[in-house]
Amino acid sequence: MQPTAAVVGVGSEEGLGAAVARRFARGGFHVLVGGRTIERLERVVKSLGEGNGTPVLMDASREADVLRLFQVALSPGAGRSPASVVVFNAGNNQHIPLQQVSAAQFEDFWRVGCFAGFLVGREAANLLAAQW
């Protein structure tokens, strides 16, 4: 069975999340590629090579989406095992001087960088602890 990695926060093909996904694919992993834009996810999955990836449309700051991703991650697929690696790469920060950051912008940054990280981390801990 092929090992599986879940990479959360994959955007463009040129981004860090896509690079991490490609590295796992080169290492023999099937990669669950999680992000908010299906067209981008499909391009990244295509770049992994035939059968090496699965796009998972999700918003890491929505608990229901994170739980759905981990349902996929827990379930073995065609020739792949449940995920044994989870990478969180979601982010939406912008270079804005602190004095100009609105409360709404800060809350949005926090939701993606911190709250989403908590959701993914909690579910990753549950997934990985069950494998020990």
Side-chain angles (χ1 to χ4, degrees), residues 1 4 6-7 29 31 35 47 62 69 74 81 99 107 114-115:
M1 297 268 283
T4 301
V7 180
F29 282 76
V31 184
S47 78
R62 293 187 179 143
L69 167 74
L74 279 166
S81 61
Q99 301 91 330
E107 184 174 14
C114 297
F115 181 65

Side-chain angles (χ1 to χ4, degrees), residues 111-132:
R111 286 193 68 72
V112 174
C114 297
F115 181 65
F118 158 74
L119 293 173
V120 172
R122 180 189 66 194
E123 296 310 312
N126 289 331
L127 169 71
L128 300 175
Q131 295 177 21
W132 292 343

